Amino acid sequence: MTRLLILGGSWFLGRAVAEAAVARQWDVTIFRRGRVESGADPADVRTIRGDYGDPRDFARLADNGPFDLVVDNLAFTPRETLAVTAALEPVAARYVVISSVSAYQGWPTEPLTEESATLDCAPDAGPEPGYDGDPGPSTYGFGKAGCERAVLQNFGASRSVVLRPGVILGPGEYVGRTAWWLSRMKRGGEVVAPDSPGQPIQPVDVRDVAAFSLDAPAGVFNVTAPGTDTMADFIAACAKYAPAPDGTTVHWVSPEVLIAHKVRQWTELPLWRTYAGAWAVDASAARAAGLVTRPIADTVRDTADWLASGGELIASDRAAELGLSPEKESAILVDHNSRSHFG
């Protein structure tokens, strides 16, 4: 039986990895702090509670080995990842680190492949390395790049799997991007959406990332949808599964109008970003290695079902930042309609 250790296995991606592995009848151990706000333990797993950063807890993890696979969802501070990989290297066959497209120097302004340059961060860097740009580098991205180097230093290229997802959506989503759009469509009326509807987007379903994390071979992989779905597909799915009341009208508002009203990209209109690289991440290598992604409509439907069954947004502070206020949306619509009338 395959023995799996998940670092951070109680919510969203970590939980999806645990549930996918349990469904395969693997022997699953999760390591977590056990905070109430991050959810209950998944069913049918062994739980070890501790602190990602405490060498004594790393030693306890190693004592519970050996493991065929480790999936690390907690890699944010390089020196902590360096320490945990050093402790687990003797007892783990392969190590998967969940990184991010934010690790690239060119994110989100340039199209990206796995050959694109990553941010320069040492594998022993402390919390919040580097700096924040707008757009561009972030301390989060620097940290992810450093964590990648930490894993490769201790496990080597032949035993390391580096996954760089873009936007992850689906049941359990803790930020609330899909939840906000579902809520907005359910309210109905005249809805502001970012032009153009034909813009390809690449959110990937959390369950698809989870499945790939269990199967991916050694290597570095971008993990995104192929871009066959569009913003219009996403909005239409939200309207369908909200469901939106009769008479709901979507207005596709130009970037010029949105920028004139100082609409914050990524937050006030979730998933809206004008930068050239935001939805131009090549994940063909992952698909060749077995990544399968579902249509965005399926992700929206299942997220709506999860919310309806009592699902909660764990990162409520971040969810509070999302979305246009009704007053701001009304002002944008007045401007949009005026320009459309005279344009």
Side-chain angles (χ1 to χ4, degrees), residues 89-151:
E89 187 278 329
V91 298
R94 193 165 84 245
Y95 200 100
V96 178
V97 60
I98 306 300
S99 184
S100 168
V101 293
S102 295
Y104 286 112
Q105 289 183 17
W107 169 256
T109 58
E110 302 172 7
L112 299 170
T113 72
E114 288 86 355
E115 303 304 315
S116 301
T118 55
L119 295 167
D120 186 12
C121 183
D124 59 353
E128 298 188 347
Y131 58 92
D132 289 314
D134 185 21
S138 63
T139 55
Y140 170 78
F142 277 101
K144 286 294 190 181
C147 290
E148 292 181 9
R149 289 172 173 82
V151 173

Side-chain angles (χ1 to χ4, degrees), residues 265-318:
Q265 298 188 38
W266 217 235
T267 55
E268 284 192 290
L269 280 179
L271 302 187
W272 172 56
R273 221 165 191 183
T274 58
Y275 307 118
W279 302 117
V281 179
D282 181 6
S284 57
R287 283 189 286 279
L291 172 67
V292 177
T293 56
R294 67 197 73 200
I296 193 68
D298 291 0
T299 300
V300 172
R301 178 197 63 210
D302 295 345
T303 302
D305 289 346
W306 168 72
L307 290 167
S309 67
E312 297 181 2
L313 304 178
I314 293 175
S316 57
D317 55 334
R318 295 183 63 181

Side-chain angles (χ1 to χ4, degrees), residues 150-340:
V151 173
L152 289 166
Q153 178 171 311
N154 282 326
F155 273 80
S158 65
R159 297 165 60 202
S160 299
V161 184
V162 176
L163 302 186
R164 295 174 181 152
V167 177
I168 304 177
L169 302 179
E173 180 195 340
Y174 59 93
V175 175
R177 296 183 177 100
T178 307
W180 183 83
W181 277 109
L182 286 165
S183 176
R184 178 63 194 92
M185 298 309 297
K186 188 174 184 177
R187 182 156 52 92
E190 296 188 276
V191 180
V192 166
D195 204 12
S196 64
Q199 169 66 53
I201 58 174
Q202 295 181 290
V204 62
D205 192 285
V206 63
R207 295 161 293 183
D208 299 332
V209 181
F212 187 59
S213 74
L214 299 179
D215 295 327
V220 179
F221 301 98
N222 295 330
V223 185
T224 65
T228 51
D229 286 316
T230 65
M231 195 66 187
D233 294 325
F234 175 75
I235 296 296
C238 289
K240 178 178 180 179
Y241 295 113
D246 292 343
T248 300
T249 303
V250 175
H251 296 269
W252 297 94
V253 179
S254 71
E256 292 77 15
V257 172
L258 298 177
I259 291 170
H261 286 264
K262 299 181 180 180
V263 175
R264 295 190 305 275
Q265 298 188 38
W266 217 235
T267 55
E268 284 192 290
L269 280 179
L271 302 187
W272 172 56
R273 221 165 191 183
T274 58
Y275 307 118
W279 302 117
V281 179
D282 181 6
S284 57
R287 283 189 286 279
L291 172 67
V292 177
T293 56
R294 67 197 73 200
I296 193 68
D298 291 0
T299 300
V300 172
R301 178 197 63 210
D302 295 345
T303 302
D305 289 346
W306 168 72
L307 290 167
S309 67
E312 297 181 2
L313 304 178
I314 293 175
S316 57
D317 55 334
R318 295 183 63 181
E321 299 175 355
L322 298 178
L324 293 170
S325 69
E327 297 78 14
K328 191 167 187 176
E329 186 173 37
S330 295
I332 291 169
L333 285 170
V334 169
D335 193 359
H336 167 73
N337 291 331
S338 174
R339 298 190 191 208
S340 299

